[in-house]
Structure formats: C-alpha cells, structure tokens
Amino acid sequence: QAVLHVITPSYRRPEAMAQQFYDAEFKESHVVKTVKDVEADKFITAFAQHLKRQGRFEIPKWADVVKTSKAKELPPNDPDWLYTRTASMVRKIYIRGGTGVGGFRKVYGGQFRRGTCTNVFCKSSGKIARYILQQLEEMGLVEQDENSGRNITKEGQRELDTVAVQAAEVGEEDED
C-alpha cells in the first residue's frame, strides 16, 4: 500500500499565513529612508536610470566590445550594462564600505568553463571596476579610504537615499 503525501500550498499552512500577515503589517508602517530599506533590484534599476538621465557618467568607447570577464565569451547584450554595473557597485559600497577593485573583481567573477577540464572560479575584469570607481570619484559619490578601498561620501549617501525613496514610491504604485 502506497501512501500519498499531499503537499499543501504555502497559503494554506498556518505558519505561512502568519508570516504573510506579519509582512503586510510591517510594510504598512514601514517608511523608506535609506538604500537598505529598498529591494536590491528595484534600487539598481532606479539608480541606473538616474545615472543615465543625469549624463555625468561617461561611457567609454570600448564599452560595447569589452567582455566583463575572461570567463565570458561575449560582451553583455544590454547596451546600458555599464550603468547597471555602476549602480550595483555603488550600492555595495553604501552597504559595506572599504571595498576596492580586488574585492569587486571577486564579487563579479564567475565560473570559468575550461572544456573537458573541471570548472574553476575566475575573477572579473579589473579595468571595468577601476573605471567605474574612478567615475564615481569624479562625480563625488565615492572617496578613497585611508586604509584601502572606497567609501561613500556624505553627498553620495544623500543622493543614493533620495533615489531609494523614489524607487520605493514607484514600487508601491506598481503594486497597487
């Protein structure tokens, strides 16, 4: 005799219902003030659009042909990939300062497929990370740390927080 186990959906389990209720209560009284209060994908797309609209971030002529890592075969398909990478990097600096070019190479690295050999980890391009950090320094959003890496400036923190609040407002309108 085979016993069939019926899998109940998450919305029928009492613990899931309690969690949904708690999440709904939390979101009602939650006021977005910083980058940490917004989901990463919403903030990154909003800040990438902000950078593109501003026009202060210079796109180099090699941006459409360069690979992001030696593990990649082709350059990115998205024409605005550099804005997206910049928004992601500036968010990482905001959340955890002191990250430098080597740290970002490790973060954006990936699996290097070597044919019949085993796959190994490979760091990403250092030129792209260095260029983005230099551009962010020129814009005044990031400064060099005295020990190592980069930290967010007061002006940069203010600008990122305003974009985060705007991104949260747009996200709430989409949900309604």
Side-chain angles (χ1 to χ4, degrees):
Q1 291 185 356
V3 177
L4 293 174
H5 292 283
V6 179
I7 299 173
T8 57
S10 63
Y11 59 85
R12 287 226 173 126
R13 291 195 305 258
E15 64 272 4
M17 290 176 69
Q19 185 177 2
Q20 288 174 349
F21 177 75
Y22 178 77
D23 288 346
E25 284 291 317
F26 179 70
K27 284 182 180 178
E28 283 179 13
S29 62
H30 187 66
V31 178
V32 174
K33 293 182 180 176
T34 65
V35 174
K36 294 180 182 182
D37 298 335
V38 184
E39 294 175 19
D41 57 337
K42 288 181 184 175
F43 174 76
I44 289 170
T45 53
F47 194 72
Q49 288 297 321
H50 175 74
L51 283 173
K52 191 173 181 180
R53 264 187 270 117
Q54 259 189 339
R56 293 193 314 178
F57 190 83
E58 296 177 23
I59 298 291
K61 54 189 169 194
W62 47 260
D64 56 340
V65 294
V66 73
K67 299 192 307 180
T68 55
S69 170
K70 72 175 189 177
K72 301 288 183 183
E73 291 184 18
L74 296 170
N77 290 330
D78 183 16
D80 298 332
W81 70 270
L82 203 57
Y83 294 114
T84 307
R85 175 66 64 94
T86 304
S88 173
M89 284 176 66
V90 80
R91 181 181 178 275
K92 286 190 181 298
I93 293 172
Y94 182 99
I95 290 173
R96 187 169 183 258
T99 310
V101 175
F104 283 117
R105 287 188 70 194
K106 202 180 297 181
V107 166
Y108 294 108
Q111 203 175 54
F112 186 36
R113 298 175 63 200
R114 304 184 299 165
T116 57
C117 302
T118 56
N119 299 342
V120 292
F121 180 79
C122 167
K123 291 182 179 179
S124 71
S125 169
K127 167 73 175 178
I128 295 170
R130 197 175 313 108
Y131 179 80
I132 288 173
L133 290 173
Q134 288 168 353
Q135 287 291 309
L136 289 171
E137 276 183 41
E138 286 179 20
M139 293 168 64
L141 301 177
V142 169
E143 64 187 1
Q144 285 196 347
D145 190 15
E146 61 270 355
N147 299 329
S148 65
R150 306 295 204 287
N151 279 332
I152 204 89
T153 61
K154 291 290 182 190
E155 180 187 327
Q157 184 174 353
R158 190 179 316 114
E159 189 170 336
L160 265 64
D161 287 341
T162 56
V163 171
V165 170
Q166 293 168 359
E169 290 172 357
V170 171
E172 288 175 2
E173 291 172 6
D174 291 344
E175 289 175 3
D176 292 341

